[in-house]
């Protein structure tokens, strides 16, 4: 497959930026992501009718996307800013977002001869996808000297891919898609946002702001081992689950347990059991599933349009024998009960404990005997119409990829879910011939 050819690279600043720079303090939810990579998601579209070439014509697509991005950044000043630090005399350091309008990066590229089919038809996600994203290989703390937001528009033979990379200290998945939804609104012609973001960070009343971190606790240099984008030999595959098949899994799980388990919990438990079964774990070995849980619905102080990080991870643990022998329902119920422990009280306790003893998420955090799930099928992905139609597919970049990483996307059809799974070839090949697993996969 052809390489990506870069046409132009520029900085896009927010339109009508206020001269006074705004400082946004960071919470423990934000700060704990300093040492991992950015969030990278992108959308595949059919070829627009407008020309892609960047020239002096005001109505070219690239010019239009840059202009609409500039107008969108007016409503999202953190994304046009940079991370900044303050060094304190007590050997601590604090981080904040400097909304200085230094600008977002915008890259225009071409993948000569690459078609939409080349992207969505292969069994495994083609590695060229990783070249459709900017700011690859950066740790979030490097946002002090790199853009917080990077956009890359890649021209394909019969389509276009818009790759978006955002610093994870500044956004979580909810805020990531809030921005993309807003940009597509403005690109399509909206003058005002349907959902303006709220940037005011929430802290418990007794929190000392800014939060000071012992310099010895955070490593402000990049480690190749920690940030290795894709482990050699790792394969990525997107499995599609129809609304009907998800309903069957939910019904099966609830019949087994006689309780109310959600569709997503039933689906994730099915994936968990299938992967562990095909990795041939020792029956007495513990296996884990790390699930991301949103804090917005659990904290009354947080509005739905809170722009920042508001997520916590829960670790579900079961012995392989218990996981495999006691059915999908038991695994889903165990997951359900663990998620239920994330409450308003526990979310506030996290703030207090983290501030007292900062602990950072690193890639080694995820090196366990199991799976980790990120993103959510509840995000509005296929509603992103920039003016020439809805996306054909959603894909992710190389950031934060490791064996056992699963990424959730909503499917193109209402109620369906796509799950991108990262595994080594032998496990992926075993999954493909596992009848119990593939029976609910739509090919």
């Amino acid at each position: 497959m052809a390489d990506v050819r870069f046409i132009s690279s520029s900085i896009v600043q927010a339109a009508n930026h206020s001269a006074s720079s705004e400082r946004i303090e960071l919470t423990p939810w934000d700060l704990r992501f300093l040492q991992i990579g950015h969030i990278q998601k992108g959308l595949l579209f059919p070829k627009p009718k407008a020309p892609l070439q960047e020239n002096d014509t005001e109505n070219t697509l690239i010019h239009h996307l840059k202009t609409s991005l500039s107008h969108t950044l007016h409503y999202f000043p953190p994304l046009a800013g940079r991370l900044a630090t303050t060094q304190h005399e007590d050997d601590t350091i604090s981080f904040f977002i400097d909304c200085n309008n230094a600008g977002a990066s915008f890259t225009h590229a071409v993948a000569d001869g690459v078609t939409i089919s080349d992207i969505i038809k292969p069994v495994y996600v083609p590695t060229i996808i990783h070249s459709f994203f900017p700011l690859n290989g950066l740790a979030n703390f490097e946002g002090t000297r790199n853009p917080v937001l990077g956009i890359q528009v890649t021209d394909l033979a019969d389509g276009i891919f818009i790759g978006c990379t955002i610093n994870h200290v500044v956004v979580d998945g909810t805020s990531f898609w809030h921005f993309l939804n807003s940009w597509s609104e403005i690109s399509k012609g909206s003058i005002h946002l349907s959902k303006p973001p709220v940037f005011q960070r929430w802290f418990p009343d007794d929190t000392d702001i800014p939060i000071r971190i012992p310099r010895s606790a955070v490593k402000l240099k990049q480690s190749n081992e920690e940030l290795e984008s894709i482990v050699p030999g790792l394969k990525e595959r997107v499995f599609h689950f129809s609304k009907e098949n998800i309903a069957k899994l939910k019904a099966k799980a609830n019949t087994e347990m006689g309780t109310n388990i959600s569709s997503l919990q039933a689906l994730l438990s099915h994936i968990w059991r299938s992967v562990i079964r095909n990795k041939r774990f020792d029956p007495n070995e513990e296996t884990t599933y790390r699930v991301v849980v949103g804090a917005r619905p659990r904290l009354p102080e947080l509005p739905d349009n809170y722009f920042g990080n508001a997520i916590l991870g829960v670790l579900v643990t079961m012995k392989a024998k218990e996981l495999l022998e006691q059915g999908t329902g038991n695994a889903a119920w165990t997951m359900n009960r663990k998620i239920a422990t994330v409450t308003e009280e526990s979310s506030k306790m996290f703030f207090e404990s983290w501030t007292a003893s900062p602990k950072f998420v690193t890639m080694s955090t995820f090196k366990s005997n199991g799976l980790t799930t990120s993103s959510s099928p509840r995000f509005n992905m296929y509603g992103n119409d920039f003016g020439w139609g809805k996306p054909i597919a959603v894909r992710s970049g190389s950031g934060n990829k490791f064996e056992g990483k699963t990424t959730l996307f909503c499917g193109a059809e209402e109620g369906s879910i796509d799950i991108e799974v990262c595994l080594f070839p032998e496990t992926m090949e075993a999954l493909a011939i596992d009848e119990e697993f593939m029976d609910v996969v739509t090919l």
Side-chain angles (χ1 to χ4, degrees):
M1 198 173 287
D3 292 331
V4 171
R5 181 165 50 90
F6 295 97
I7 305 299
S8 64
S9 182
S10 57
I11 293 293
V12 175
Q13 294 176 300
N16 305 317
H17 176 68
S18 170
S20 60
S21 179
E22 182 184 356
R23 172 184 175 128
I24 296 178
E25 302 297 346
L26 296 172
T27 73
W29 285 331
D30 304 313
L31 294 166
R32 65 198 182 108
F33 293 125
L34 279 167
Q35 294 179 188
I36 61 171
H38 296 46
I39 298 179
Q40 295 184 309
K41 303 291 187 297
L43 300 167
L44 178 64
F45 294 91
K47 176 79 82 176
K49 293 179 181 178
L52 282 173
Q53 286 70 31
E54 188 167 17
N55 52 41
D56 294 332
T57 306
E58 286 295 311
N59 63 357
T60 61
L61 182 63
I62 296 299
H63 177 84
H64 169 77
L65 288 174
K66 282 185 176 182
T67 301
S68 60
L69 175 61
S70 176
H71 286 296
T72 308
L73 291 174
H74 168 71
Y75 297 98
F76 292 86
L79 299 184
R82 297 288 185 271
L83 292 188
T85 61
T86 301
Q87 306 284 343
H88 302 284
E89 292 180 358
D90 59 354
D91 207 30
T92 61
I93 184 172
S94 56
F95 290 79
F96 62 96
I97 304 171
D98 183 3
C99 301
N100 58 5
N101 203 25
S105 73
F106 189 103
T107 303
H108 177 206
V110 175
D112 292 309
V114 178
T115 65
I116 289 172
S117 291
D118 291 333
I119 301 302
I120 63 176
K121 292 296 184 185
V123 172
Y124 298 124
V125 177
T127 55
I128 195 172
I129 282 282
H130 303 153
S131 301
F132 294 174
F133 291 89
L135 306 178
N136 282 320
L138 293 178
N140 291 310
F141 66 76
E142 294 180 274
T144 55
R145 55 182 181 273
N146 290 281
V148 164
L149 165 67
I151 300 294
Q152 181 173 318
V153 179
T154 305
D155 184 17
L156 310 180
D158 56 352
I160 183 173
F161 191 93
I162 298 180
C164 180
T165 299
I166 307 184
N167 194 301
H168 204 340
V169 169
V170 180
V171 302
D172 59 9
T174 298
S175 295
F176 180 100
W177 289 104
H178 184 179
F179 160 72
L180 266 183
N181 296 159
S182 301
W183 182 21
S184 66
E185 272 186 8
I186 289 177
S187 176
K188 199 176 178 183
S190 293
I191 299 174
H192 301 292
L193 298 186
S194 61
K195 186 180 175 182
V198 173
F199 301 112
Q200 181 63 46
R201 291 304 203 263
W202 175 81
F203 297 89
D205 292 337
D206 57 351
T207 306
D208 291 329
I209 304 171
I211 293 175
R212 297 189 179 195
I213 305 168
R215 266 196 283 254
S216 59
V218 57
K219 299 175 183 176
L220 295 182
K221 63 179 182 178
Q222 187 172 6
S223 164
N224 291 332
E225 181 181 349
E226 283 290 312
L227 279 173
E228 192 169 22
S229 56
I230 288 288
V231 177
L234 200 64
K235 296 291 185 183
E236 300 170 76
R237 180 172 177 178
V238 177
F239 294 99
H240 180 70
F241 298 89
S242 67
K243 181 179 180 180
E244 294 73 22
N245 283 347
I246 294 170
K248 289 178 185 176
L249 280 174
K250 178 181 179 179
K252 180 176 183 291
N254 282 302
T255 298
E256 289 175 0
M257 298 305 294
T259 187
N260 187 23
I261 292 165
S262 75
S263 298
L264 185 56
Q265 289 164 1
L267 177 57
L268 295 182
S269 297
H270 176 71
I271 296 275
W272 188 16
R273 295 180 71 244
S274 300
V275 170
I276 298 307
R277 182 170 60 248
N278 286 286
K279 290 183 75 171
R280 302 186 182 281
F281 267 52
D282 181 294
N284 292 313
E285 190 172 359
E286 282 198 337
T287 175
T288 61
Y289 204 136
R290 189 178 300 273
V291 184
V292 173
V293 181
R296 287 173 181 82
R298 292 166 171 84
L299 277 173
E301 293 90 346
L302 294 186
D304 180 54
N305 52 346
Y306 176 84
F307 194 86
N309 284 283
I311 53 174
L312 290 168
V314 298
L315 195 63
V316 189
T317 304
M318 296 179 72
K319 286 190 176 181
K321 181 179 180 180
E322 179 187 4
L323 177 67
L324 299 179
E325 292 183 357
Q326 296 184 16
T328 301
N330 182 61
W333 180 244
T334 304
M335 185 180 294
N336 177 288
R337 292 299 81 205
K338 189 69 175 181
I339 291 171
T341 64
V342 183
T343 62
E344 178 182 356
E345 182 182 3
S346 69
S347 298
K348 291 180 177 179
M349 284 178 61
F350 168 78
F351 260 74
E352 296 171 9
S353 62
W354 196 94
T355 305
S357 179
K359 293 181 176 63
F360 298 93
V361 177
T362 66
M363 291 301 285
S364 60
T365 304
F366 308 110
K367 292 177 181 176
S368 60
N369 294 328
L371 302 180
T372 296
T373 285
S374 69
S375 190
S376 169
R378 297 184 181 91
F379 297 150
N380 178 11
M381 302 176 185
Y382 286 92
N384 287 288
D385 182 348
F386 284 79
W388 64 87
K390 294 185 177 182
I392 297 168
V394 186
R395 292 293 185 266
S396 65
S398 62
N400 302 326
K401 290 288 177 67
F402 48 87
E403 188 195 20
K405 173 72 176 290
T406 62
T407 305
L408 298 174
F409 303 122
C410 58
E413 308 88 31
E414 184 179 354
S416 65
I417 295 177
D418 291 338
I419 301 186
E420 180 190 75
V421 180
C422 298
L423 293 167
F424 286 117
E426 55 270 23
T427 310
M428 200 75 88
E429 290 163 8
L431 271 181
I433 58 174
D434 182 334
E435 291 185 10
E436 182 180 343
F437 173 70
M438 295 299 294
D439 186 52
V440 291
V441 174
T442 304
L443 299 175

